[in-house]
Amino acid sequence: MSDIIQLLPDNIANQIAAGEVIQRPASAVKELLENAVDAGATEVRLIIQDAGKQLVQVVDNGKGMSGTDARMSFERHATSKIRNIDDLFQIRTMGFRGEALASIAAVSQVELRTKRAEDELGTYIEIDNSVVKLQEPCSANNGTSIAMKNLFFNVPARRNFLKSNAAEMRHIVDEFMHVALAFPQVFFSMTSNGQQVFHLERGNLKQRIVQLLGTPYNARLVSVQEHTDYLDITGFVGKPETAKKTRGDQYLFVNNRYIRSAYLHHAIMNAYQDLIPADAYPMYVLFFDLDPAHIDINVHPTKQEIKFDDEKIMYAFVQAAVKHALAQYSITPTLDFDLDPHVQQLDAINKPFTEDKQQYATSSSLFHTFTQKHQAHFIDKNSGLKNWKDLMQDTQQDASPGMQPVPRAGAALEIDWTTDFTQIRQQFILVPTNRGFLVVNQQLAHERVLYERLADAAHGKPMATQRSLFPISISCTPADAVLVNDLLPDLQQLGYALEPFGTNSFVVQGTPADVEQGNEKQVIEQLLEQFKHFTSNFKFSKREKLVRSMVSQQSIKAGKILTSKEMHALISSLFACATTNTTIDGAPTYIEFRQEQLTRMFHQ
Ligand code: ADP
Ligand code: MG
C-alpha cells in the first residue's frame, strides 16, 4: 500500500480557509474598509455593483504599499500588523491575522492598484483564484484601490447560497455603518450601481450619528463619558423619547470594533428602566476602550461576540455610565435617581480603580438582578401568536361550551341586519344573530378584512391610489432609503405612489384611496418601522411582510368609537371574507354565544 496523505494545493487550502472569513459580499466590505482605516486613510470610498456579487471596491488615500508588499499582502498569514506574540496583546489595528486579502483572492478575481507617497510609480496586480495573472508598475494616486470581482465565481455552490440583492445590500450597509460610526474623522462614501447611497463628511461622532441614523436624533443625544483605570466609556445614548419599538439603532464598539453583546445590551436597558416603555429600545452608540490584554483577541475575526476577562465589571460599568449620563442631563428627575450605592463605587468619581473595589462591585446586588438567561429580555417574535393560541386553548378547555368561535361552515349562522349593533367599551361589537349573538373584536375583525383586501391587491389588481394634491417629500436615513427603494414596486401595488427624489429622498405622489390623507410622512415612517419589525422573520416574503405591516398600521384600533354605519360596514366586510372567524395569526375575530348554551348556563 502506498502512502495516501498529501498536502492540499495552495488555492484549495485558501478556498477552504476563505470560507471562514468571506461568507458574503458584506464580509469583504468589512475587511477592505478596515484595511483602509488601518492604512491611515482619511478618505475611503466604497463602490458596489449588483449587491457586491459583481463588484466590491474600496478606494483609499492611505499609506499604500510597495511593490513587494503588494504581492505579499495576498499570502495567507501575511500581515504588517504584528511581528511577535507580545504584539498580539496590544492590538490596536482592526486586522492582524493576515487572512483577509488571501481569502478574498481565493474566491474572486482581484485587481489591486496601490502607491506610496514616496514612490514615483505604483503597482498594479491582477489575481484570479489565488493565482497572480499580472503584476506591473502603473501610475496611481497615493493610496490603495482593491476591487473584488465576481465573488465565488470559482465556488458555484457558495455563489448559490447568496441571498437576494436586497438582503445582501442590507448586510453591506450594516458593515459600512459599523466602520463609518467607529471612524467619524474619516470621510466615507458608498455608491451602489452608480447611485450614491452615503456621503459622509468628516466630523465628530455626534455629527456622524446624525448623518447615519437620521436628523431626528439631532439635539436628542445624551453624551456618555466615563474614564476609569479599567476602561473608558464614551459615546451617546438617545433621550428616552427617541426609543423605538424596533431594534436597530444599537451599536457597541470595543476598541473601535463593532460587537454584539446581549449582556451589555441588558445593562443599558436596565439603566433606562422606568424611563421608556418595556417594549421599546433606546438608541445607543457606545465605545469601550480598554487595554487589549483584557479582551480575548482570539475570537474569530468575523464573529462579533467578544470575551472580556471580567464580564461582571463590564456590566456594572456600562449600566452605571448610562444611568449617570441620563441623570446628569436631568432626564431622570434627581429625586428619582437612586443610584445603587455599589454602583457609585464604580463611578468615574471614584478613581483609581482598585482590586478590592472590583471585588466589591462584582459581589454587589446589581448582578443578582441579572438572570442567567442573558436573552431573557428579547421579545420572542412569536410570543403574540403563542399567547393567542394559549388563550384559545384555555378558552376551549376551561370556559363554558359555546364560547368558541364557530366557523362559518354549516351556514346556519345568519347576522340579524335589521337590528342596531352595540359597541362595548370601544373595543367589541355585539352582533345579534339568528341563533344568539356574536361578540366581535373590532380591531381583529378589521385586521382580517384588511389582510384579505391587501393580499388580493398584492397578487392581482393594484389598490386604488389617491393622487396627493400637494405632494410632499420625505427624507430617510441612507439605510432606510435602500429599503424604500427596494420596496417601491410593492408599495405601488398597495396604493402608495412614491418616487425617488435625489439622495435618500422620495416624493409621495399618492396614497391608498381609503387611507386618510394629510400625514403621509408619519404614515410612511410608521410603515417602515412596522416592516422592520418583521424583517427578521424569514418565513414571510417581502410582500407578505409589507401587507402585514399595513394591516397592523391601518386597522381600526381598540378605543375607536364606531358609528352604527361603520359597525355595519365592518361586519358585512368581515362576513364577505374567505375566512371570517380568525385573524392571520389565528386569533379569533369573534366569539359566538348560542341561545341554548346561554340558557344552559343559567341552569335551565
Ligand atoms: P491584516 O489586515 O490582518 O494584516 P489583510 O489580509 O487584511 O491582513 O492585509 C494584509 C496586509 O496588506 C496588511 O497587513 C497591510 O500591510 C496590507 N494592506 C492591506 N490593505 C491595505 C491598504 N488598503 N493599504 C495599505 N496596506 C494594505
Ligand atoms: Mg485586514
Side-chain angles (χ1 to χ4, degrees):
M1 286 284 272
S2 60
D3 299 330
I4 53 173
I5 296 180
Q6 295 185 350
L7 279 176
L8 288 173
D10 269 0
N11 62 334
I12 296 184
N14 278 341
Q15 255 183 37
I16 295 168
E20 303 263 305
V21 187
I22 306 297
Q23 281 132 7
R24 50 170 23 112
S27 336
V29 167
K30 170 182 185 286
E31 296 295 339
L32 295 179
L33 290 178
E34 288 185 351
N35 279 348
V37 170
D38 280 347
T42 55
E43 287 179 18
V44 181
R45 293 180 164 77
L46 171 65
I47 301 160
I48 300 292
Q49 291 286 351
D50 192 21
K53 295 170 185 173
Q54 243 180 58
L55 175 73
V56 172
Q57 183 176 11
V58 171
V59 184
D60 70 51
N61 67 347
K63 64 180 182 226
M65 286 180 264
S66 70
T68 321
D69 281 352
R71 174 65 197 83
M72 263 298 277
S73 67
F74 291 98
E75 293 296 332
R76 189 153 295 276
H77 309 307
T79 180
S80 55
K81 298 171 193 173
I82 52 173
R83 293 189 179 275
N84 56 50
I85 193 73
D86 291 337
D87 291 348
L88 207 50
F89 300 97
Q90 332 250 338
I91 293 292
R92 285 285 176 183
T93 52
M94 303 297 283
F96 59 87
R97 293 168 168 261
E99 287 180 318
L101 291 188
S103 299
I104 289 172
V107 291
S108 70
Q109 297 163 319
V110 175
E111 290 171 18
L112 164 77
R113 191 180 290 270
T114 185
K115 185 175 103 60
R116 300 182 301 181
E118 62 264 43
D119 296 333
E120 188 85 357
L121 278 179
T123 306
Y124 177 78
I125 295 183
E126 267 180 39
I127 301 186
D128 253 32
N129 198 3
S130 300
V131 180
V132 181
K133 294 274 167 189
L134 179 69
Q135 170 158 9
E136 62 186 20
C138 70
S139 65
N141 294 330
N142 293 340
T144 303
S145 156
I146 300 187
M148 176 187 87
K149 296 184 165 174
N150 303 318
L151 177 62
F152 300 138
F153 79 104
N154 52 350
V155 209
R158 302 205 43 209
R159 195 168 171 96
N160 293 338
F161 263 102
L162 292 178
K163 298 241 165 63
S164 70
N165 280 8
E168 295 299 345
M169 266 319 270
R170 283 297 310 168
H171 287 290
I172 290 174
V173 167
D174 282 349
E175 296 293 358
F176 178 90
M177 286 178 66
H178 299 160
V179 181
L181 275 174
F183 299 94
Q185 70 281 14
V186 176
F187 166 92
F188 285 96
S189 73
M190 169 173 165
T191 61
S192 162
N193 298 334
Q195 290 257 342
Q196 187 156 81
V197 183
F198 291 97
H199 181 95
L200 307 173
E201 294 297 345
R202 305 170 57 168
N204 57 30
L205 177 61
K206 195 172 192 170
Q207 291 163 326
R208 185 56 54 92
I209 290 174
V210 172
Q211 285 171 326
L212 282 170
L213 304 183
T215 39
Y217 285 120
N218 209 355
R220 295 200 183 82
L221 297 174
V222 177
S223 152
V224 179
Q225 294 275 352
E226 297 288 335
H227 302 281
T228 73
D229 288 357
Y230 184 75
L231 90 162
D232 291 344
I233 304 179
T234 57
F236 292 91
V237 296
K239 290 188 180 172
E241 75 256 24
T242 62
K244 293 184 183 173
K245 288 274 188 285
T246 47
R247 295 181 65 118
D249 294 343
Q250 289 81 38
Y251 298 90
L252 298 179
F253 299 84
V254 172
N255 294 349
N256 273 339
R257 189 186 300 274
Y258 172 80
I259 60 146
R260 279 174 203 278
S261 168
Y263 190 71
L264 297 182
H265 174 74
H266 191 275
I268 298 165
M269 293 300 279
N270 236 331
Y272 271 89
Q273 216 171 30
D274 302 332
L275 293 176
I276 58 173
D279 58 348
Y281 297 95
M283 169 274 175
Y284 55 78
V285 180
L286 291 176
F287 291 83
F288 310 124
D289 268 286
L290 65 165
D291 184 342
H294 291 307
I295 316 166
D296 179 3
I297 41 77
N298 224 358
V299 182
H300 198 272
T302 61
K303 293 254 162 56
Q304 291 169 335
E305 283 76 33
I306 195 165
K307 285 212 77 62
F308 300 99
D309 62 354
D310 193 333
E311 300 246 290
K312 289 180 175 173
I313 216 75
M314 283 297 295
Y315 187 94
F317 266 135
V318 172
Q319 191 197 34
V322 174
K323 269 198 170 187
H324 189 209
L326 290 172
Q328 270 196 332
Y329 284 75
S330 51
I331 280 156
T332 323
T334 330
L335 281 175
D336 280 356
F337 183 63
D338 168 27
L339 196 58
D340 185 324
H342 297 300
V343 172
Q344 270 169 10
Q345 297 285 332
L346 294 171
D347 214 315
I349 311 154
N350 284 302
K351 290 189 265 187
F353 192 70
T354 59
E355 285 269 301
D356 48 292
K357 268 189 193 139
Q358 176 163 343
Q359 264 195 351
Y360 188 33
T362 353
S363 61
S364 100
S365 62
L366 187 69
F367 306 109
H368 301 302
T369 58
F370 186 67
T371 62
Q372 286 299 312
K373 287 173 73 182
H374 296 178
Q375 306 279 336
H377 59 289
F378 284 132
I379 294 171
D380 175 2
K381 282 197 297 288
N382 298 315
S383 64
L385 183 64
K386 208 173 104 267
N387 292 343
W388 268 115
K389 292 227 174 89
D390 292 350
L391 191 68
M392 285 288 287
Q393 271 159 13
D394 287 353
T395 335
Q396 278 164 9
Q397 282 160 13
D398 310 340
S400 317
M403 289 184 69
Q404 302 133 23
V406 173
R408 201 156 60 111
L413 179 70
E414 272 175 37
I415 307 291
D416 178 358
W417 296 107
T418 62
T419 53
D420 267 345
F421 302 154
T422 312
Q423 193 183 21
I424 309 169
R425 303 203 62 78
Q426 302 169 11
Q427 194 175 1
F428 306 106
I429 305 171
L430 267 193
V431 179
T433 68
N434 58 333
R435 57 190 197 195
F437 64 88
L438 308 178
V439 178
V440 178
N441 181 310
Q442 65 187 45
Q443 177 171 349
L444 299 180
H446 196 218
E447 283 185 8
R448 163 54 67 184
V449 171
L450 282 173
Y451 181 77
E452 294 206 359
R453 203 180 284 164
L454 290 169
D456 274 357
H459 300 104
K461 199 165 149 283
M463 289 295 272
T465 298
Q466 183 177 348
R467 305 298 289 181
S468 309
L469 283 179
F470 307 102
I472 56 144
S473 76
I474 51 172
S475 54
C476 327
T477 63
D480 282 351
V482 171
L483 183 67
V484 175
N485 259 318
D486 185 46
L487 288 174
L488 283 180
D490 301 278
L491 284 166
Q492 176 82 51
Q493 191 77 13
L494 294 166
Y496 285 95
L498 262 63
E499 279 167 18
F501 179 68
T503 319
N504 306 329
S505 292
F506 300 86
V507 176
V508 185
Q509 299 286 11
T511 47
D514 42 358
V515 172
E516 237 177 275
Q517 288 204 318
N519 56 346
E520 287 88 344
K521 187 171 151 57
Q522 214 188 339
V523 167
I524 288 168
E525 279 167 4
Q526 275 175 5
L527 187 66
L528 286 182
E529 279 296 304
Q530 283 278 359
F531 182 84
K532 286 192 256 175
H533 206 69
F534 285 118
T535 45
S536 50
N537 203 331
F538 291 115
K539 260 195 343 239
F540 300 142
S541 69
K542 197 167 58 179
R543 239 174 224 197
E544 178 74 11
K545 284 178 200 161
L546 200 56
V547 165
R548 286 179 182 235
S549 310
M550 286 191 185
V551 166
S552 53
Q553 189 185 29
Q554 295 174 11
S555 57
I556 296 170
K557 304 295 183 297
K560 172 135 167 73
I561 299 174
L562 300 176
T563 63
S564 178
K565 217 167 138 198
E566 286 168 333
M567 287 190 270
H568 269 261
L570 175 59
I571 302 302
S572 82
S573 312
L574 175 65
F575 283 91
C577 285
T579 304
T580 61
N581 62 329
T582 60
T583 66
I584 11 159
D585 292 334
T589 52
Y590 63 83
I591 311 274
E592 184 184 19
F593 292 82
R594 291 202 196 203
Q595 185 165 5
E596 63 270 21
Q597 289 156 339
L598 287 167
T599 313
R600 222 180 300 136
M601 285 162 90
F602 288 100
H603 303 292
Q604 287 181 332

